[in-house]
Amino acid sequence: MGCMFSHLAAKFAFFPPSPPTYKIQKRDHDGKLTVVASASTTTSLPVPHADDRSLDVLLIDTKRGNKIVAFYLRNPYARLTLLYSHGNAADLGQLYDLFLQLKLTLRVNLIGYDYSGYGASTGKPSEENTYADIEAVYECLETEYGVSQEDLILYGQSVGSGPTLHLAAKLPRLRGVVLHSAILSGLRVLCHVKFTFCFDIYKNINKIKKVKCPVLVIHGTEDDIVNWLHGDALWKMARDAYEPLWIKGGGHCNLELYPDYIRHLCRFIQEMENLTTEIRLRKIWQNMRTLKRSSAGCAKCCRIKLCLPRCPECRRPKCVKCCSWQLKCPACWRPGCVKCSWQPKCLKGAEPSCCIRCFHWRCCIGTHSGLNGKQDG
């Protein structure tokens, strides 16, 4: 049943241009792949020049047996590489002009690819195929161009946020992630649900928490296809969230037309270029220290986890002297459980006891315990 629903969801998620806006062919003199406009294309699209040495047209094999087309655009001044995953209703022929602008303006190398079943790529579009597609493109960047994950930024637009976060969750040293009009999940685009179902596709709501690099979220406030709340929720759940860009009045497919889009994206790329290994390690160390401080005062007694909050004045766990709000045992005037108002009884010499005099505490699971020190009653 779950597979049937997933297959049905895929039909609503993918709309490859038909016919494709381009086709690829081999040059006679050197056998390299080039791009030509499709004869059935009614609109005039910018087509790469056959002798353009800054463009590589690639045909990449995936682990699911498909061959996908990718465009690799070089920038001689680039320090980083951008891996672009496009939306569900476009192919590389429609995006080539945008790729040129991003390559020059952001000063990056850029690689874009068509999902299985899109453009001149073989196979059929599906969630699992897009995951295999982006993994194959990343492997090609590593082996053919020597690009490491430290020098890579993943960019996912709309449905492209699915494969983008899939790969980002697997690369702990990735330089950065850009989510453009991203989705929480496929089902959440259609209706508001609080739970994730097994037949849902692109469960980004679960994967965003695994991404360890900085995440930039860009979303239009008037997006009528993917509500702005999707981007807002992803930004709030990101572990290392960068300052988001909410484009006022922006829709789903026109954010590139706003000046703030390219301005904010340039600033993000520049900061990622300046993000050295030393700065990243220092940031990780600060996060680890923050986590240690937040977990300080937690101890384990037998099988019960006892949380010992510190007094803001003397920094001692459960200071009875400063914290007058603590409950007291009417029998021995010892601190009781604050959370569940459980009142202990003092049993001298008995084991186990619940008062400070016997140095042994007992409380309900998940509640706060008293001070493990001695006090006259």
Side-chain angles (χ1 to χ4, degrees):
M1 181 66 70
C3 294
M4 182 182 69
F5 276 108
S6 296
H7 183 68
L8 183 63
K11 288 187 176 181
F12 288 99
F14 302 107
F15 300 95
S18 182
T21 61
Y22 72 96
K23 60 181 180 180
I24 58 174
Q25 61 184 20
K26 286 187 178 181
R27 292 189 297 197
D28 295 333
H29 61 282
D30 58 5
K32 288 187 177 182
L33 295 175
T34 59
V35 182
V36 295
S38 177
S40 56
T41 303
T42 57
T43 58
S44 59
L45 296 172
V47 178
H49 193 272
D51 296 327
D52 186 1
R53 296 184 179 180
S54 65
L55 171 67
D56 290 345
V57 181
L58 308 172
L59 198 59
I60 305 173
D61 295 318
T62 73
K63 64 182 181 182
R64 293 177 66 88
N66 299 321
K67 291 182 179 294
I68 61 172
V69 179
F71 290 176
Y72 181 81
L73 290 79
R74 292 187 183 86
N75 187 323
Y77 305 103
R79 295 173 56 188
L80 301 176
T81 300
L82 192 72
L83 198 168
Y84 193 105
S85 301
H86 60 69
N88 68 337
D91 63 16
L92 292 179
Q94 297 169 321
L95 294 170
Y96 178 70
D97 189 44
L98 173 64
F99 289 171
L100 281 177
Q101 295 179 25
L102 293 178
K103 179 193 78 168
L104 296 175
T105 308
L106 302 180
R107 202 177 60 178
V108 296
N109 297 317
L110 189 147
I111 185 168
Y113 65 101
D114 264 338
Y115 310 126
S116 299
Y118 277 71
S121 299
T122 64
K124 294 183 178 181
S126 69
E127 179 186 11
E128 294 302 322
N129 276 343
T130 58
Y131 293 158
D133 296 341
I134 195 172
E135 289 175 0
V137 173
Y138 172 67
E139 184 178 352
C140 175
L141 284 175
E142 276 191 315
T143 57
E144 299 297 328
Y145 297 97
V147 178
S148 63
Q149 57 179 289
E150 291 87 353
D151 298 324
L152 182 64
I153 294 178
L154 302 184
Y155 189 113
Q157 178 187 12
S158 188
V159 166
S161 61
T164 292
L165 288 177
H166 167 79
L167 183 61
K170 294 184 175 184
L171 303 179
R173 300 186 304 276
L174 196 65
R175 183 61 66 101
V177 169
V178 180
L179 299 178
H180 175 162
S181 301
I183 64 175
L184 283 170
S185 72
L187 186 60
R188 286 175 171 85
V189 176
L190 303 176
C191 57
H192 178 71
V193 292
K194 294 184 178 180
F195 304 99
T196 301
F197 295 91
C198 61
F199 54 84
D200 200 356
I201 64 173
Y202 295 127
K203 305 178 184 69
N204 294 339
I205 191 173
N206 298 332
K207 296 180 181 179
I208 185 66
K209 304 172 185 177
K210 302 177 183 179
V211 178
K212 299 179 180 179
C213 63
V215 177
L216 166 62
V217 177
I218 304 174
H219 217 110
T221 59
E222 301 298 326
D223 193 329
D224 57 351
I225 297 178
V226 180
N227 192 281
W228 165 82
L229 295 176
H230 284 248
D232 183 59
L234 289 170
W235 173 67
K236 290 178 179 178
M237 288 186 292
R239 296 172 62 174
D240 190 359
Y242 187 81
E243 180 185 353
L245 175 61
W246 313 124
I247 299 182
K248 188 175 181 180
H252 189 68
C253 301
N254 63 349
L255 300 187
E256 298 89 348
L257 303 178
Y258 290 81
D260 286 343
Y261 165 80
I262 197 67
R263 187 182 303 118
H264 198 83
L265 194 55
C266 279
R267 182 156 64 92
F268 176 74
I269 297 296
Q270 289 175 359
E271 291 192 21
M272 294 304 102
E273 287 179 345
N274 298 328
L275 190 62
T276 62
T277 303
E278 181 181 356
I279 296 176
R280 297 183 71 180
L281 290 175
R282 188 185 303 119
K283 194 171 185 180
I284 294 173
W285 175 248
Q286 290 175 352
N287 291 336
M288 291 177 62
R289 292 183 63 183
T290 303
L291 290 175
K292 287 182 179 180
R293 289 177 181 176
S294 62
S295 61
C298 289
K300 288 186 178 180
C301 178
C302 299
R303 297 181 180 179
I304 301 175
K305 188 175 181 180
L306 305 177
C307 293
L308 307 175
R310 297 186 178 275
C311 170
E313 295 187 18
C314 65
R315 305 300 299 168
R316 295 179 180 177
K318 298 283 284 186
C319 178
V320 183
K321 185 175 182 180
C322 303
C323 304
S324 58
W325 47 266
Q326 298 197 44
L327 300 174
K328 308 292 184 178
C329 175
C332 62
W333 201 244
R334 305 299 177 202
C337 178
V338 180
K339 190 171 183 180
C340 63
S341 301
W342 180 71
Q343 297 291 338
K345 295 181 180 180
C346 179
L347 301 174
K348 293 183 180 180
E351 292 293 340
S353 177
C354 64
C355 66
I356 301 175
R357 185 175 300 172
C358 303
F359 297 96
H360 194 97
W361 284 92
R362 195 181 202 183
C363 192
C364 60
I365 297 178
T367 59
H368 297 288
S369 68
L371 176 65
N372 292 329
K374 190 171 181 181
Q375 179 186 4
D376 296 330

